[in-house]
Amino acid sequence: MHYAHTVIPGTQVRLRDIDPDASGGLTKDEGRERFASFNATLDAMQEELYAAGVHALLLILQGMDTAGKDGAIRNVMHNLNPQGCRVESFKVPTEEELAHDFLWRVHKVVPRKGMVGVFNRSHYEDVLVVRVHSLVPEHVWRARYDQINAFERLLTDTGTIIVKCFLHISKDEQEKRLLAREQDVTKAWKLSAGDWRERERWDEYMAAYEEALTRCSTEYAPWYIIPANRKWYRDLAISEVLVETLRPYRDDWQRALDAMSQARLAELKAFRHQQTAGATRL
Ligand code: ADP
């Protein structure tokens, strides 16, 4: 990948070594142009993914408040056919969800073959907010890294392509964004005192993210760190990761589509043949 930072499985993540301000040496206009080109490719790929029905795509987005998960979903999914997409947001678990294992609510909503599923937050909250706020004992959340890896292995073994993006903003950038929201009365509905409260635990969140990214970046479901202080760069980096991850599967989809085309044509030919034979008999 050119724009995102790939977490090589088995390596230790140190977020402070990764610049959230990265621009890849591009101007905003250049970045937007490249993004548009990736987006067009993604559009074509989604059509093949949908029609072939061989794989599902699951995009997992994580990040601190204001990191831009909503904006990324709006921009990166912008060109896709809504029929083939579904966004799932994970909030504070309900009483029923808490009465099950932590993956229960997640497994129920993973995308079926042919579909693109986007997770706005995910099962990673169960090793992030849950850890920072000690919502379960340490041995419980500690066991979850392996449980998450096993769950994601099951999904990838059964046809789901997983792309995990951590939107990396700086603490200063978060403050700017939170303050900007307060200035814009039309966006006051976005305000939350909770965002300021969570911000006080920034370092604890960073430690939790570092461990999650380190322990759960695998060959089959790697983590990508997306420099996200610049929104245009964030969108560019995510769209590149998606396009480059999906590209190797295109041959499979093409083969499935060719086989479908052959079968449909043969069916039609047999139908026409039958019709002609019927007409001759008359
Ligand atoms: P968002 O910030 O994603 O736009 P909300 O303001 O409704 O949406 O925030 C959702 C909240 O739910 C977040 O604070 C998040 O940490 C919390 N949450 C999500 N999953 C869990 C979980 N498994 N346990 C506890 N809290 C969770």
Side-chain angles (χ1 to χ4, degrees), residues 65 69-70 90-93 105 120-121 125-126 129-130 135:
D65 293 317
K69 299 185 290 296
D70 295 320
F90 291 91
K91 311 276 182 188
V92 177
R105 66 173 181 163
N120 182 350
R121 302 185 187 270
E125 291 294 328
D126 292 279
V129 63
V130 167
L135 299 180

